[in-house]
């Protein structure tokens, strides 16, 4: 396998006394699609949010392309970064949310070019051109001047994916990207994600779409109560799970 | 095709009430017009008197100036209050506690007399040379005192309004902005505050209108506003009520203009949110006698 893009090492987190993540470790290689499944409250969202430091882990370390997220490694110690420096790290990590979270006061185009332009990644003209190409790829050519409220859920989620892609991230994190969609809109978003996977994008995906995981994922992690209880190649974990909890869970969601 | 002939509801009681009110107003107007003590001619005579005009300018300048101070301070205090820095939070809370807890009239008189305890203000290096020194009474003119007094007070109130606005913005907006790598300051000014404005603007409009009137308090320090000038004139000619009517007409005019402005600003900042277009127009009269036809809810959305 290729070099690791994301390394999660012994990450634990608790809210007060309550442990949400217990010593979680895994690695995601370049171009790999990793899927995290598990029951509600398992800590799936929390681990994703730790990867781009929307949450801070209590212990352990997360590396993206070798950089410790939220820290600077110096003299054998990890020094906590300030918010500006964390923002620079986040720019290389895309995230797609369950509820899209498009900026409501901006058009589709403004949503997409906001970060690349204000962070000085490219000129406005270049950003607009790139946005149009990306919108064409997800089948939304006509929508650049619409406001999010004028789009369907599926269209909004495709725009959200484009917005994340516009930063040319090293890895894309998806937190249940189709759970808030009407069933007939799920397909259009999954098909965009499948295209991305085939194009070699590194992705970590939290989902309840087991069929999609089987089709697209390389590896699957099954989480319960803050722990990864089973992991392995997608086909193996999803078809012949070894752990009782995994079997029970898959039996229920299928 | 089937037709469904519809007879809309009538509103006879609205007409009855309106006629009653009109009759009352006419009776009142007649009473006042027969009153020989009140000199009507004085009102138009002083409407555009140069002193009244200069008072109008001061009222406007004090109101707008202290509103601007209040806005900037309000945003600053609101951001301090929701920051995770406990020192900043405590500072903001103490400020708000003090300025909301004491009457603005007391604050105005206090600032006006601050020269008693601090005769001069100076910037210098302790034990070293003075870089800059000014007499407090030179600096704290009535107009500056008015701006400062009303502005600080307004800041305390605005901070609550701004904070409510920030809290009203969906948490996901902030998270999405952070997730694409925008630094916290940009997240606040580009993503959160613009959306908070929708919630901030209506009460801010009310604050502004209230401030237009509260600014008349600065007449106690003779700041030269509309009321100060009206007072000066009636101290000469003893036409107290007439001059108060002159001032009131100007206050009404200003507050009316402010309400109209508020309507257009509110509409501008609801971009991207579905709002009913048919509610356009600041007037309620339009709807008053209307037969209540079905109103289509449309979406406001256009490229900017
Ligand atoms: N801010 C918080 N404060 C306290 N507890 C929290 C907080 N956020 C999450 N939790 C708890 O942490 C646990 C893990 O939450 P998380 O959202 O990661 O679960 P999940 O696996 O994503 O579940 P779901 O499938 O429902 O999204 C849950 O028990 C949740 O109640
Ligand atoms: Mg979740």
């Amino acid at each position: 396998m290729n070099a690791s893009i994301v390394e999660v090492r012994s990450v634990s987190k608790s809210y007060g006394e309550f442990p949400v993540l217990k010593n979680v470790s895994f690695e995601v290689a370049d171009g790999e699609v990793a899927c995290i499944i598990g029951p509600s409250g398992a800590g799936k969202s929390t681990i994703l949010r730790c990867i781009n430091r929307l949450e801070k882990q209590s212990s352990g370390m997360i590396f993206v392309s070798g950089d410790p997220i939220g820290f600077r490694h110096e003299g054998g110690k990890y020094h906590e970064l300030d918010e500006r420096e964390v923002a620079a790290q986040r720019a290389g990590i895309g995230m797609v949310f369950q509820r899209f979270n498009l900026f409501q006061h901006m058009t589709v185009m403004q949503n997409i070019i906001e970060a690349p332009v204000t962070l000085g990644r490219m000129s406005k003209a270049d950003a607009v051109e790139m946005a149009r190409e990306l919108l064409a790829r997800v089948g939304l050519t006509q929508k650049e001047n619409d406001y999010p409220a004028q789009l369907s859920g599926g269209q909004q989620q495709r725009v959200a994916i484009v917005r994340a892609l516009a930063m040319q991230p090293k890895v894309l994190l998806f937190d249940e990207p189709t759970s808030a969609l009407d069933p007939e809109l799920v397909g259009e978003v999954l098909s965009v994600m499948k295209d991305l996977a085939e194009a070699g994008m590194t992705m970590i995906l939290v989902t309840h779409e087991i069929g999609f995981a089987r089709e697209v994922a390389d590896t699957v992690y099954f989480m319960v109560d803050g722990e990864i209880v089973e992991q392995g190649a997608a086909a193996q974990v999803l078809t012949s799970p070894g752990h009782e909890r995994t079997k029970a869970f898959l039996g229920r969601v299928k | 095709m089937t037709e469904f002939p519809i007879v809309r509801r009538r509103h006879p009681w609205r007409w009855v009430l309106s006629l009653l009110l009109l009759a009352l107003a006419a009776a009142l107007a007649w009473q006042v017009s027969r009153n020989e003590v009140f000199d009507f001619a004085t009102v138009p005579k002083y409407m555009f008197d140069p002193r009244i005009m200069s008072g109008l300018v001061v009222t406007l300048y004090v109101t707008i100036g202290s509103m601007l101070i209040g806005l900037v301070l309000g945003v600053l205090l609101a951001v301090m209050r929701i920051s995770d820095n406990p020192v900043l939070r405590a500072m903001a809370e103490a400020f708000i506690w003090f300025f909301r807890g004491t009457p603005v009239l007391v604050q105005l008189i206090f600032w006006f007399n601050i020269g008693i305890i601090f005769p001069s203000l100076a910037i210098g290096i302790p034990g070293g040379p003075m870089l800059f020194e000014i007499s407090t009474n030179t600096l704290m003119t009535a107009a500056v005192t008015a701006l400062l007094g009303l502005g600080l007070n307004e800041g305390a109130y605005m901070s609550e309004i701004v904070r409510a606005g920030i809290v009203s913005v969906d948490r996901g907006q902030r998270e999405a902005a952070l997730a694409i790598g925008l630094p916290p300051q940009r997240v606040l000014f580009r993503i959160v505050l613009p959306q908070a404005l929708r919630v901030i603007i209506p009460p801010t409009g009310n604050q502004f209108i209230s401030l237009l009137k509260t600014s008349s308090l600065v007449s106690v320090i003779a700041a030269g506003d509309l009321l100060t000038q009206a007072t000066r004139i009636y101290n000469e000619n003893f036409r107290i009520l007439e001059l108060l009517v002159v001032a009131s007409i100007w206050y009404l005019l200003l507050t009316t203009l402010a309400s109209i402005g508020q309507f257009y600003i509110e509409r501008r900042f609801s971009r991207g949110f579905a709002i009913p277009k048919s509610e356009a127009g600041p007037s309620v009269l339009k709807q008053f006698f209307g037969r209540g036809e079905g109103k289509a809810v449309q979406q406001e959305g256009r490229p900017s």
Side-chain angles (χ1 to χ4, degrees), chain A residues 148-211:
Chain A
Q150 295 169 295
L151 303 178
S152 74
Q155 292 169 333
Q156 289 192 52
Q157 194 60 300
R158 282 183 280 159
V159 173
I161 293 173
V162 167
R163 178 175 69 178
L165 287 175
M167 290 302 287
Q168 290 151 341
K170 296 170 226 156
V171 54
L172 259 186
L173 314 174
F174 291 86
D175 191 358
E176 303 193 29
T178 57
S179 306
L181 295 177
D182 291 337
E184 75 270 22
L185 301 178
V186 168
E188 63 192 51
V189 172
L190 291 182
S191 113
V192 166
M193 289 165 60
K194 191 167 173 223
D195 288 349
L196 282 175
E198 277 162 7
M201 174 60 84
T202 310
M203 299 175 14
I204 304 179
L205 167 62
V206 171
T207 188
H208 292 299
E209 297 283 339
I210 303 300

Side-chain angles (χ1 to χ4, degrees), chain A residues 45-55 95, chain B residues 175:
Chain A
S45 299
T46 307
I47 188 66
L48 273 198
R49 293 160 60 81
C50 284
I51 294 174
N52 69 0
R53 212 158 172 80
L54 285 178
E55 286 311 334
M95 181 145 185
Chain B
E175 288 185 346

Side-chain angles (χ1 to χ4, degrees), chain A:
Chain A
M1 213 96 211
N2 307 330
S4 283
I5 292 287
V6 178
E7 280 173 74
V8 175
R9 291 219 207 128
S10 315
V11 166
S12 299
K13 176 169 180 68
S14 31
Y15 287 110
E17 290 289 282
F18 181 66
V20 185
L21 296 175
K22 299 173 199 161
N23 200 26
V24 172
S25 298
F26 61 89
E27 290 186 20
V28 180
D30 194 5
E32 181 180 335
V33 177
C35 227
I36 304 175
I37 58 171
S40 183
K44 308 181 300 289
S45 299
T46 307
I47 188 66
L48 273 198
R49 293 160 60 81
C50 284
I51 294 174
N52 69 0
R53 212 158 172 80
L54 285 178
E55 286 311 334
K56 294 177 181 175
Q57 68 269 24
S58 318
S59 65
M61 195 59 67
I62 294 168
F63 300 85
V64 173
S65 298
D67 295 327
I69 294 304
F71 296 90
R72 178 169 28 93
H73 190 202
E74 206 176 278
K77 293 210 167 116
Y78 290 90
H79 303 263
E80 197 169 358
L81 296 178
D82 68 31
E83 276 294 325
R84 291 196 72 83
E85 295 165 316
V86 176
Q89 291 185 327
R90 287 195 188 109
I93 306 167
M95 181 145 185
V96 174
F97 299 84
Q98 183 174 351
R99 289 180 48 247
F100 333 131
N101 297 349
L102 291 179
F103 307 135
Q104 298 294 311
H105 61 308
M106 293 181 173
T107 62
V108 165
M109 181 56 80
Q110 290 166 336
N111 262 278
I112 299 168
I113 66 173
E114 174 65 23
V117 172
T118 56
L119 297 179
R121 287 280 184 94
M122 52 180 80
S123 73
K124 186 164 177 207
D126 289 346
V128 167
E129 194 182 324
M130 174 201 60
R132 290 201 174 121
E133 274 167 32
L134 289 171
L135 282 173
R137 259 174 69 188
V138 302
L140 289 173
T141 312
Q142 301 301 317
K143 301 292 184 186
E144 63 174 71
N145 290 325
D146 284 16
Y147 283 92
Q150 295 169 295
L151 303 178
S152 74
Q155 292 169 333
Q156 289 192 52
Q157 194 60 300
R158 282 183 280 159
V159 173
I161 293 173
V162 167
R163 178 175 69 178
L165 287 175
M167 290 302 287
Q168 290 151 341
K170 296 170 226 156
V171 54
L172 259 186
L173 314 174
F174 291 86
D175 191 358
E176 303 193 29
T178 57
S179 306
L181 295 177
D182 291 337
E184 75 270 22
L185 301 178
V186 168
E188 63 192 51
V189 172
L190 291 182
S191 113
V192 166
M193 289 165 60
K194 191 167 173 223
D195 288 349
L196 282 175
E198 277 162 7
M201 174 60 84
T202 310
M203 299 175 14
I204 304 179
L205 167 62
V206 171
T207 188
H208 292 299
E209 297 283 339
I210 303 300
F212 181 74
R214 185 176 289 122
E215 196 181 341
V216 176
D218 299 305
T219 40
V220 167
Y221 298 88
F222 178 66
M223 266 183 99
V224 181
D225 296 338
E227 280 175 298
I228 294 177
V229 295
E230 181 161 3
Q231 59 180 296
Q236 180 228 315
V237 175
L238 295 173
T239 331
S240 47
H243 201 281
E244 279 310 314
R245 298 282 313 247
T246 323
K247 281 180 197 160
F249 177 77
L250 288 173
R252 256 182 293 123
V253 293
K254 248 183 281 185

Side-chain angles (χ1 to χ4, degrees), chain B residues 106-126:
Chain B
V106 174
Q107 289 169 30
L108 280 170
I109 301 172
F110 182 88
W111 291 120
F112 193 57
N113 293 294
I114 191 85
I116 298 170
I117 39 174
F118 298 116
S120 72
L121 293 176
I123 300 171
I125 301 150

